[in-house]
Amino acid sequence: MLVLVMRFLVGAVFIYSGWEKLMSPLPNFMAVLEGYQILKSSLIQPVAFIFPWLELVFGTFLALGFLSRASASVLAVFLATFIVLLSRSLLLHLPLLECGCFGSGISLTPAQAIILDAGLLVTSFIIMARKSHVLSVDQVLHK
Amino acid sequence: MNIRRRYFLTGSGIIVALVLLVFSVRFGRDVGAFSNLENAKVKGPHGAPVQVVVYSDFQCPACKNALPVLQELENEFSETMQIEFRHYPLERPHRWAMTAATFAECAAEQGKFWEYHDRLYLDQATWSNTDDAISLFARYSHELGLDKEKIQKCLENPETLQRIRRERSTGVWQKVESTPTIFINGQLIVGGLQLKTKGREIVLEELKKLGKV
Protein backbone atom coordinates (compact mmCIF):
# COMPACT_ATOMS: atom_id res chain seq x y z
CA MET A 1 0.00 0.00 0.00
CA LEU A 2 2.88 2.34 0.82
CA VAL A 3 4.29 1.84 -2.67
CA LEU A 4 0.90 2.75 -4.12
CA VAL A 5 1.02 6.05 -2.22
CA MET A 6 4.59 6.59 -3.43
CA ARG A 7 3.52 5.95 -7.02
CA PHE A 8 0.73 8.50 -6.72
CA LEU A 9 3.05 10.98 -5.06
CA VAL A 10 5.83 10.89 -7.68
CA GLY A 11 3.29 10.70 -10.50
CA ALA A 12 1.30 13.63 -9.14
CA VAL A 13 4.39 15.84 -8.80
CA PHE A 14 5.29 15.25 -12.46
CA ILE A 15 1.70 15.63 -13.66
CA TYR A 16 1.47 18.98 -11.85
CA SER A 17 4.86 20.11 -13.09
CA GLY A 18 4.15 19.19 -16.71
CA TRP A 19 0.62 20.59 -16.59
CA GLU A 20 1.69 23.96 -15.17
CA LYS A 21 4.32 24.35 -17.89
CA LEU A 22 1.91 23.31 -20.64
CA MET A 23 -0.66 25.84 -19.45
CA SER A 24 1.92 28.60 -19.57
CA PRO A 25 3.25 30.28 -22.73
CA LEU A 26 6.35 28.53 -24.11
CA PRO A 27 8.71 31.54 -23.65
CA ASN A 28 8.28 31.25 -19.87
CA PHE A 29 9.85 27.78 -19.72
CA MET A 30 12.39 28.78 -22.39
CA ALA A 31 13.52 31.58 -20.05
CA VAL A 32 13.88 29.06 -17.21
CA LEU A 33 16.09 26.86 -19.41
CA GLU A 34 18.12 29.89 -20.53
CA GLY A 35 18.73 30.67 -16.86
CA TYR A 36 20.54 27.35 -16.37
CA GLN A 37 23.02 28.34 -19.10
CA ILE A 38 23.67 24.79 -20.24
CA LEU A 39 21.70 24.19 -23.45
CA LYS A 40 22.66 25.57 -26.84
CA SER A 41 20.24 28.30 -27.89
CA SER A 42 19.05 26.18 -30.81
CA LEU A 43 17.98 23.42 -28.40
CA ILE A 44 16.10 25.58 -25.93
CA GLN A 45 12.84 25.85 -27.87
CA PRO A 46 12.52 22.13 -28.77
CA VAL A 47 13.41 21.05 -25.23
CA ALA A 48 10.98 23.58 -23.73
CA PHE A 49 8.28 22.24 -26.03
CA ILE A 50 8.85 18.50 -25.51
CA PHE A 51 9.91 18.21 -21.88
CA PRO A 52 6.60 19.21 -20.19
CA TRP A 53 4.81 16.61 -22.32
CA LEU A 54 7.24 13.93 -21.14
CA GLU A 55 6.66 14.96 -17.53
CA LEU A 56 2.89 14.84 -17.97
CA VAL A 57 2.85 11.53 -19.86
CA PHE A 58 5.26 9.60 -17.62
CA GLY A 59 3.76 11.14 -14.48
CA THR A 60 0.33 9.93 -15.61
CA PHE A 61 1.70 6.51 -16.55
CA LEU A 62 3.22 6.12 -13.11
CA ALA A 63 0.17 7.36 -11.23
CA LEU A 64 -2.03 4.94 -13.17
CA GLY A 65 0.47 2.14 -12.76
CA PHE A 66 1.03 1.73 -16.49
CA LEU A 67 4.54 0.44 -17.26
CA SER A 68 5.19 1.28 -13.61
CA ARG A 69 8.83 0.24 -13.37
CA ALA A 70 9.80 1.72 -16.73
CA SER A 71 7.96 4.98 -15.96
CA ALA A 72 9.60 5.20 -12.54
CA SER A 73 12.99 4.64 -14.23
CA VAL A 74 12.39 7.45 -16.73
CA LEU A 75 11.29 9.82 -13.97
CA ALA A 76 14.32 8.80 -11.88
CA VAL A 77 16.57 9.83 -14.79
CA PHE A 78 14.75 13.19 -14.94
CA LEU A 79 15.16 13.66 -11.19
CA ALA A 80 18.87 12.79 -11.26
CA THR A 81 19.32 15.30 -14.12
CA PHE A 82 17.48 18.00 -12.17
CA ILE A 83 19.69 17.40 -9.14
CA VAL A 84 22.83 17.73 -11.26
CA LEU A 85 21.56 20.91 -12.97
CA LEU A 86 20.42 22.52 -9.74
CA SER A 87 23.68 21.65 -7.94
CA ARG A 88 25.61 23.09 -10.86
CA SER A 89 23.58 26.30 -10.67
CA LEU A 90 24.43 26.62 -6.97
CA LEU A 91 28.12 25.87 -7.53
CA LEU A 92 28.37 28.40 -10.35
CA HIS A 93 26.28 30.96 -8.42
CA LEU A 94 23.90 31.32 -11.35
CA PRO A 95 21.39 34.10 -10.67
CA LEU A 96 18.36 31.79 -10.32
CA LEU A 97 15.77 33.06 -7.89
CA GLU A 98 13.80 29.87 -8.17
CA CYS A 99 14.11 26.48 -9.85
CA GLY A 100 11.32 27.00 -12.41
CA CYS A 101 10.18 23.42 -11.79
CA PHE A 102 6.47 24.14 -11.47
CA GLY A 103 5.85 27.09 -13.75
CA SER A 104 3.88 29.72 -11.85
CA GLY A 105 2.38 27.16 -9.50
CA ILE A 106 4.92 26.65 -6.73
CA SER A 107 8.07 28.63 -6.21
CA LEU A 108 11.09 26.73 -4.85
CA THR A 109 14.67 27.90 -4.53
CA PRO A 110 17.28 25.64 -6.17
CA ALA A 111 18.31 24.29 -2.74
CA GLN A 112 14.69 23.44 -1.82
CA ALA A 113 14.22 21.79 -5.21
CA ILE A 114 17.31 19.60 -4.70
CA ILE A 115 15.85 18.31 -1.41
CA LEU A 116 12.48 17.59 -3.04
CA ASP A 117 14.08 15.88 -6.04
CA ALA A 118 16.36 13.76 -3.84
CA GLY A 119 13.34 12.57 -1.87
CA LEU A 120 11.43 11.77 -5.05
CA LEU A 121 14.46 9.99 -6.51
CA VAL A 122 14.69 7.64 -3.51
CA THR A 123 10.93 7.07 -3.79
CA SER A 124 11.31 6.25 -7.50
CA PHE A 125 14.01 3.67 -6.68
CA ILE A 126 11.65 1.99 -4.22
CA ILE A 127 8.91 1.87 -6.89
CA MET A 128 11.40 0.46 -9.44
CA ALA A 129 12.42 -2.28 -7.02
CA ARG A 130 8.83 -3.61 -6.80
CA LYS A 131 7.96 -6.23 -9.40
CA SER A 132 4.19 -5.96 -9.14
CA HIS A 133 1.96 -3.02 -8.29
CA VAL A 134 -1.47 -3.08 -6.70
CA LEU A 135 -4.30 -1.02 -8.16
CA SER A 136 -2.43 -0.53 -11.38
CA VAL A 137 -3.18 -0.70 -15.09
CA ASP A 138 -0.28 -3.19 -15.32
CA GLN A 139 -2.16 -5.54 -13.01
CA VAL A 140 -5.29 -5.31 -15.17
CA LEU A 141 -3.39 -5.84 -18.42
CA HIS A 142 -1.65 -8.93 -17.08
CA LYS A 143 -4.90 -10.62 -16.00
CA MET B 1 -5.20 -10.02 -27.70
CA ASN B 2 -1.52 -10.37 -26.94
CA ILE B 3 0.02 -8.40 -24.11
CA ARG B 4 2.16 -6.13 -26.33
CA ARG B 5 -0.85 -5.04 -28.30
CA ARG B 6 -2.79 -4.38 -25.10
CA TYR B 7 0.04 -2.24 -23.80
CA PHE B 8 0.36 -0.36 -27.08
CA LEU B 9 -3.34 0.43 -27.25
CA THR B 10 -3.57 1.42 -23.59
CA GLY B 11 -0.48 3.67 -23.78
CA SER B 12 -1.73 5.30 -26.98
CA GLY B 13 -5.15 5.83 -25.39
CA ILE B 14 -3.65 7.55 -22.35
CA ILE B 15 -1.47 9.82 -24.51
CA VAL B 16 -4.36 10.80 -26.80
CA ALA B 17 -6.54 11.55 -23.77
CA LEU B 18 -3.81 13.77 -22.29
CA VAL B 19 -3.27 15.64 -25.56
CA LEU B 20 -7.00 16.29 -25.90
CA LEU B 21 -7.23 17.44 -22.29
CA VAL B 22 -4.30 19.85 -22.59
CA PHE B 23 -5.51 21.38 -25.84
CA SER B 24 -9.10 21.68 -24.66
CA VAL B 25 -8.02 23.56 -21.53
CA ARG B 26 -5.48 25.74 -23.31
CA PHE B 27 -7.83 26.61 -26.14
CA GLY B 28 -9.17 30.12 -25.77
CA ARG B 29 -6.64 31.28 -23.20
CA ASP B 30 -5.44 34.47 -24.81
CA VAL B 31 -2.61 35.52 -22.53
CA GLY B 32 -1.60 38.31 -24.84
CA ALA B 33 -4.83 40.23 -24.50
CA PHE B 34 -4.00 43.90 -24.21
CA SER B 35 -5.79 45.97 -21.64
CA ASN B 36 -5.12 49.58 -20.86
CA LEU B 37 -4.79 50.26 -17.17
CA GLU B 38 -5.60 53.47 -15.36
CA ASN B 39 -2.58 55.77 -14.87
CA ALA B 40 -0.64 53.84 -17.50
CA LYS B 41 3.04 54.75 -17.57
CA VAL B 42 3.72 55.08 -21.27
CA LYS B 43 6.26 56.65 -23.58
CA GLY B 44 6.31 56.91 -27.34
CA PRO B 45 3.69 58.15 -29.78
CA HIS B 46 0.07 57.79 -28.73
CA GLY B 47 -1.78 55.21 -30.84
CA ALA B 48 1.48 53.75 -32.17
CA PRO B 49 0.96 50.55 -34.19
CA VAL B 50 3.37 48.60 -31.98
CA GLN B 51 2.40 48.46 -28.32
CA VAL B 52 5.06 47.12 -25.98
CA VAL B 53 4.11 46.26 -22.41
CA VAL B 54 6.97 45.61 -20.02
CA TYR B 55 6.35 43.88 -16.70
CA SER B 56 9.32 44.72 -14.57
CA ASP B 57 10.73 44.80 -11.06
CA PHE B 58 13.10 47.63 -10.11
CA GLN B 59 15.29 45.34 -8.00
CA CYS B 60 15.63 42.64 -10.65
CA PRO B 61 19.12 42.58 -12.25
CA ALA B 62 17.75 40.85 -15.38
CA CYS B 63 15.35 43.78 -15.85
CA LYS B 64 18.25 46.20 -15.69
CA ASN B 65 20.21 44.09 -18.19
CA ALA B 66 17.28 44.10 -20.61
CA LEU B 67 17.04 47.91 -20.63
CA PRO B 68 19.74 48.60 -23.26
CA VAL B 69 18.06 46.10 -25.61
CA LEU B 70 14.71 47.79 -25.11
CA GLN B 71 16.37 51.16 -25.59
CA GLU B 72 17.79 50.02 -28.94
CA LEU B 73 14.31 49.01 -30.10
CA GLU B 74 12.90 52.27 -28.84
CA ASN B 75 15.50 54.26 -30.78
CA GLU B 76 14.98 52.28 -33.97
CA PHE B 77 11.19 52.38 -33.87
CA SER B 78 10.67 55.72 -32.15
CA GLU B 79 7.85 56.72 -34.54
CA THR B 80 5.94 53.47 -34.44
CA MET B 81 6.33 52.02 -30.96
CA GLN B 82 4.80 52.89 -27.61
CA ILE B 83 6.18 51.38 -24.40
CA GLU B 84 4.12 50.84 -21.29
CA PHE B 85 5.69 49.97 -17.94
CA ARG B 86 3.80 47.74 -15.53
CA HIS B 87 4.89 46.93 -12.02
CA TYR B 88 5.64 43.32 -11.19
CA PRO B 89 7.60 43.53 -7.93
CA LEU B 90 8.89 40.18 -6.70
CA GLU B 91 8.59 40.82 -3.00
CA ARG B 92 9.98 37.55 -1.67
CA PRO B 93 13.45 37.63 -3.20
CA HIS B 94 13.64 41.42 -3.57
CA ARG B 95 13.33 43.22 -0.28
CA TRP B 96 13.00 46.73 -1.66
CA ALA B 97 11.11 46.00 -4.87
CA MET B 98 7.70 47.07 -3.60
CA THR B 99 9.01 50.24 -1.92
CA ALA B 100 10.88 51.19 -5.10
CA ALA B 101 7.69 50.58 -7.12
CA THR B 102 5.72 52.77 -4.69
CA PHE B 103 8.16 55.67 -5.01
CA ALA B 104 8.14 55.31 -8.80
CA GLU B 105 4.34 55.29 -8.81
CA CYS B 106 4.37 58.50 -6.76
CA ALA B 107 6.89 60.04 -9.18
CA ALA B 108 4.44 59.13 -11.96
CA GLU B 109 1.77 61.23 -10.25
CA GLN B 110 4.07 64.22 -10.73
CA GLY B 111 4.85 63.29 -14.33
CA LYS B 112 8.36 62.04 -13.65
CA PHE B 113 7.93 58.29 -13.79
CA TRP B 114 10.49 57.60 -16.51
CA GLU B 115 13.13 59.82 -14.91
CA TYR B 116 12.62 58.00 -11.62
CA HIS B 117 12.58 54.64 -13.44
CA ASP B 118 15.95 55.38 -15.06
CA ARG B 119 17.41 56.55 -11.76
CA LEU B 120 16.30 53.43 -9.90
CA TYR B 121 17.85 51.14 -12.48
CA LEU B 122 21.01 53.21 -12.70
CA ASP B 123 21.60 52.94 -8.96
CA GLN B 124 20.09 49.48 -8.53
CA ALA B 125 23.23 47.91 -7.12
CA THR B 126 23.51 50.65 -4.48
CA TRP B 127 20.01 50.70 -3.02
CA SER B 128 19.46 46.95 -3.41
CA ASN B 129 22.23 46.25 -0.94
CA THR B 130 21.49 48.82 1.68
CA ASP B 131 19.45 48.59 4.87
CA ASP B 132 18.02 52.04 4.34
CA ALA B 133 16.90 52.22 0.73
CA ILE B 134 14.04 54.52 1.68
CA SER B 135 16.35 57.47 2.37
CA LEU B 136 18.01 56.86 -1.01
CA PHE B 137 14.62 56.80 -2.72
CA ALA B 138 13.76 60.07 -0.97
CA ARG B 139 17.05 61.54 -2.14
CA TYR B 140 16.31 60.57 -5.78
CA SER B 141 12.90 62.25 -5.43
CA HIS B 142 14.56 65.41 -4.19
CA GLU B 143 17.20 65.36 -6.94
CA LEU B 144 14.50 64.98 -9.59
CA GLY B 145 12.68 68.00 -8.15
CA LEU B 146 9.61 66.15 -6.92
CA ASP B 147 7.34 67.84 -4.42
CA LYS B 148 8.20 66.31 -1.04
CA GLU B 149 4.76 66.77 0.50
CA LYS B 150 2.95 65.28 -2.46
CA ILE B 151 5.33 62.32 -2.44
CA GLN B 152 4.71 61.74 1.28
CA LYS B 153 0.95 61.94 0.79
CA CYS B 154 1.13 59.54 -2.13
CA LEU B 155 3.30 57.05 -0.20
CA GLU B 156 0.78 57.04 2.66
CA ASN B 157 -2.19 56.60 0.35
CA PRO B 158 -3.25 52.91 0.33
CA GLU B 159 -4.52 53.38 -3.24
CA THR B 160 -0.90 53.65 -4.46
CA LEU B 161 -0.08 50.17 -3.21
CA GLN B 162 -3.36 48.81 -4.53
CA ARG B 163 -2.59 50.21 -7.99
CA ILE B 164 0.75 48.39 -8.02
CA ARG B 165 -0.86 45.16 -6.86
CA ARG B 166 -3.54 45.52 -9.55
CA GLU B 167 -0.84 45.83 -12.20
CA ARG B 168 0.89 42.76 -10.87
CA SER B 169 -2.43 40.87 -10.85
CA THR B 170 -2.92 41.80 -14.51
CA GLY B 171 0.50 40.25 -15.11
CA VAL B 172 -0.43 37.08 -13.25
CA TRP B 173 -3.58 36.87 -15.37
CA GLN B 174 -1.42 37.30 -18.49
CA LYS B 175 0.75 34.37 -17.29
CA VAL B 176 3.75 36.48 -16.33
CA GLU B 177 6.02 34.27 -14.25
CA SER B 178 9.27 36.17 -14.11
CA THR B 179 10.70 39.57 -14.90
CA PRO B 180 11.19 41.15 -17.30
CA THR B 181 8.27 39.83 -19.33
CA ILE B 182 7.50 41.81 -22.43
CA PHE B 183 4.44 41.77 -24.67
CA ILE B 184 4.89 43.13 -28.18
CA ASN B 185 1.39 43.56 -29.59
CA GLY B 186 0.40 40.68 -27.35
CA GLN B 187 3.29 38.37 -28.22
CA LEU B 188 5.08 37.26 -25.11
CA ILE B 189 8.85 37.43 -24.65
CA VAL B 190 10.66 36.62 -21.41
CA GLY B 191 14.01 38.12 -20.47
CA GLY B 192 16.64 40.20 -22.20
CA LEU B 193 18.01 37.31 -24.24
CA GLN B 194 14.69 36.57 -25.93
CA LEU B 195 14.12 40.30 -26.40
CA LYS B 196 17.50 40.58 -28.11
CA THR B 197 17.02 37.60 -30.40
CA LYS B 198 13.33 38.01 -31.22
CA GLY B 199 12.24 41.54 -30.30
CA ARG B 200 13.23 43.31 -33.49
CA GLU B 201 11.88 40.50 -35.64
CA ILE B 202 8.48 40.64 -33.91
CA VAL B 203 8.27 44.44 -34.20
CA LEU B 204 9.07 44.26 -37.93
CA GLU B 205 6.53 41.47 -38.44
CA GLU B 206 3.87 43.53 -36.68
CA LEU B 207 4.67 46.61 -38.76
CA LYS B 208 4.60 44.51 -41.90
CA LYS B 209 1.19 43.10 -40.98
CA LEU B 210 -0.10 46.63 -40.59
CA GLY B 211 1.53 47.76 -43.82
CA LYS B 212 3.79 50.23 -42.01
CA VAL B 213 7.07 49.06 -43.61
Side-chain angles (χ1 to χ4, degrees), chain B residues 79-100:
Chain B
E79 304 294 314
T80 48
M81 193 168 99
Q82 187 182 53
I83 298 177
E84 179 183 344
F85 179 97
R86 289 189 190 170
H87 295 290
Y88 199 90
L90 302 165
E91 289 177 86
R92 203 172 69 154
H94 296 150
R95 181 182 172 194
W96 295 113
M98 185 54 100
T99 317

Side-chain angles (χ1 to χ4, degrees), chain B:
Chain B
M1 203 189 295
N2 78 25
I3 193 84
R4 279 188 182 210
R5 196 172 159 77
R6 274 198 227 170
Y7 264 93
F8 175 76
L9 290 176
T10 310
S12 306
I14 296 170
I15 292 171
V16 169
L18 287 172
V19 170
L20 290 175
L21 183 66
V22 167
F23 282 104
S24 62
V25 176
R26 273 204 73 162
F27 186 74
R29 279 194 180 187
D30 182 11
V31 297
F34 194 85
S35 68
N36 279 315
L37 295 170
E38 50 184 322
N39 303 314
K41 297 161 283 289
V42 294
K43 61 175 169 176
H46 186 70
V50 178
Q51 299 282 327
V52 177
V53 176
V54 182
Y55 282 95
S56 198
D57 167 346
F58 288 112
Q59 203 177 338
C60 142
C63 299
K64 182 179 175 164
N65 295 340
L67 278 182
V69 188
L70 195 61
Q71 187 64 54
E72 270 177 38
L73 282 180
E74 197 187 331
N75 293 341
E76 187 176 351
F77 301 101
S78 57
E79 304 294 314
T80 48
M81 193 168 99
Q82 187 182 53
I83 298 177
E84 179 183 344
F85 179 97
R86 289 189 190 170
H87 295 290
Y88 199 90
L90 302 165
E91 289 177 86
R92 203 172 69 154
H94 296 150
R95 181 182 172 194
W96 295 113
M98 185 54 100
T99 317
T102 313
F103 268 89
E105 194 60 26
C106 291
E109 279 192 1
Q110 296 184 45
K112 294 222 170 165
F113 172 77
W114 293 102
E115 291 86 339
Y116 205 89
H117 162 283
D118 293 347
R119 188 63 201 266
L120 283 174
Y121 279 120
L122 184 71
D123 278 358
Q124 190 192 61
T126 312
W127 59 262
S128 292
N129 297 310
T130 176
D131 284 332
D132 184 21
I134 294 172
S135 56
L136 283 175
F137 296 152
R139 200 178 85 197
Y140 303 154
S141 307
H142 176 71
E143 286 170 6
L144 290 170
L146 297 172
D147 184 311
K148 198 177 170 182
E149 270 182 37
K150 280 184 186 167
I151 283 279
Q152 197 53 43
K153 213 173 160 185
C154 169
L155 291 173
E156 286 165 6
N157 185 355
E159 173 58 25
T160 309
L161 205 63
Q162 279 168 19
R163 246 181 355 239
I164 295 167
R165 293 201 194 282
R166 272 201 296 275
E167 284 191 18
R168 192 171 55 187
S169 301
T170 310
V172 171
W173 176 75
Q174 288 190 286
K175 288 281 175 189
V176 173
E177 289 178 5
S178 57
T179 52
T181 291
I182 301 122
F183 289 87
I184 303 178
N185 277 8
Q187 289 194 58
L188 186 147
I189 283 178
V190 184
L193 190 62
Q194 288 181 24
L195 183 64
K196 194 171 184 173
T197 53
K198 292 181 182 167
R200 190 172 182 276
E201 193 185 316
I202 295 175
V203 173
L204 285 171
E205 265 174 32
E206 289 299 312
L207 289 172
K208 214 171 170 182
K209 265 193 234 167
L210 298 162
K212 303 277 179 183
V213 279

Side-chain angles (χ1 to χ4, degrees), chain A residues 56-95:
Chain A
L56 181 66
V57 167
F58 284 104
T60 308
F61 278 1
L62 187 65
L64 293 175
F66 177 73
L67 294 169
S68 305
R69 295 177 78 191
S71 300
S73 311
V74 172
L75 297 182
V77 171
F78 289 172
L79 289 163
T81 311
F82 299 160
I83 292 170
V84 171
L85 288 178
L86 290 160
S87 307
R88 178 183 169 273
S89 79
L90 288 179
L91 286 172
L92 297 178
H93 301 288
L94 297 181

Side-chain angles (χ1 to χ4, degrees), chain A:
Chain A
M1 204 56 169
L2 184 64
V3 179
L4 177 68
V5 174
M6 289 175 168
R7 223 181 65 210
F8 282 145
L9 176 77
V10 179
V13 169
F14 276 93
I15 291 170
Y16 181 69
S17 170
W19 181 264
E20 276 293 318
K21 289 179 192 118
L22 288 168
M23 289 300 119
S24 174
L26 191 62
N28 278 329
F29 189 45
M30 284 169 63
V32 170
L33 295 177
E34 284 161 6
Y36 283 93
Q37 299 174 19
I38 195 156
L39 284 174
K40 275 186 185 176
S41 55
S42 58
L43 288 175
I44 286 182
Q45 192 161 350
V47 171
F49 180 77
I50 292 165
F51 190 70
W53 282 107
L54 295 177
E55 286 185 299
L56 181 66
V57 167
F58 284 104
T60 308
F61 278 1
L62 187 65
L64 293 175
F66 177 73
L67 294 169
S68 305
R69 295 177 78 191
S71 300
S73 311
V74 172
L75 297 182
V77 171
F78 289 172
L79 289 163
T81 311
F82 299 160
I83 292 170
V84 171
L85 288 178
L86 290 160
S87 307
R88 178 183 169 273
S89 79
L90 288 179
L91 286 172
L92 297 178
H93 301 288
L94 297 181
L96 297 177
L97 293 176
E98 57 133 16
C99 67
C101 328
F102 299 104
S104 58
I106 299 171
S107 176
L108 294 179
T109 63
Q112 289 167 335
I114 289 173
I115 296 167
L116 174 71
D117 290 342
L120 292 174
L121 183 61
V122 172
T123 312
S124 302
F125 285 142
I126 297 170
I127 299 167
M128 283 156 62
R130 278 293 173 106
K131 281 193 177 165
S132 65
H133 291 273
V134 289
L135 284 178
S136 66
V137 174
D138 286 335
Q139 206 178 29
V140 175
L141 291 174
H142 277 104
K143 267 185 185 170

